[in-house]
Amino acid sequence: MRAIAIGRKNWLFAGSERGGRSAAIAYTLIETAKLNGVDAQAWLTDVLYRIADHKITRLEELMPWRYAAEAA
């Protein structure tokens, strides 16, 4: 959360409301991964690699807490 507070003035220039929402989604994913003790970059890389062939009914398998359990 510190990075968000430090860059707070920069977010005024996200480009648009949609850009701000996209940034909020990205930060939410990253912070959720951190809260679950997961390396956010490794988790996102894995999810982006697997998501194209993944069924929408099985999204639970892509969540960071599931990734942490599989890594342990």
Side-chain angles (χ1 to χ4, degrees):
M1 295 306 292
R2 183 171 184 251
I4 295 171
I6 290 172
R8 182 178 4 203
K9 290 183 182 178
N10 294 332
W11 311 138
L12 292 172
F13 306 104
S16 65
E17 185 176 337
R18 187 174 176 190
R21 287 182 185 177
S22 296
I25 291 168
Y27 274 108
T28 301
L29 291 171
I30 292 167
E31 289 301 319
T32 302
K34 287 180 182 179
L35 286 171
N36 285 281
V38 173
D39 176 22
Q41 184 176 3
W43 171 69
L44 282 172
T45 301
D46 181 57
V47 167
L48 292 174
Y49 178 76
R50 295 177 4 176
I51 201 164
D53 299 324
H54 207 78
K55 294 188 180 203
I56 196 163
T57 57
R58 295 174 33 208
L59 288 179
E60 179 70 24
E61 296 172 6
L62 299 176
M63 297 298 152
W65 47 87
R66 182 59 92 53
Y67 183 83
E70 291 173 3

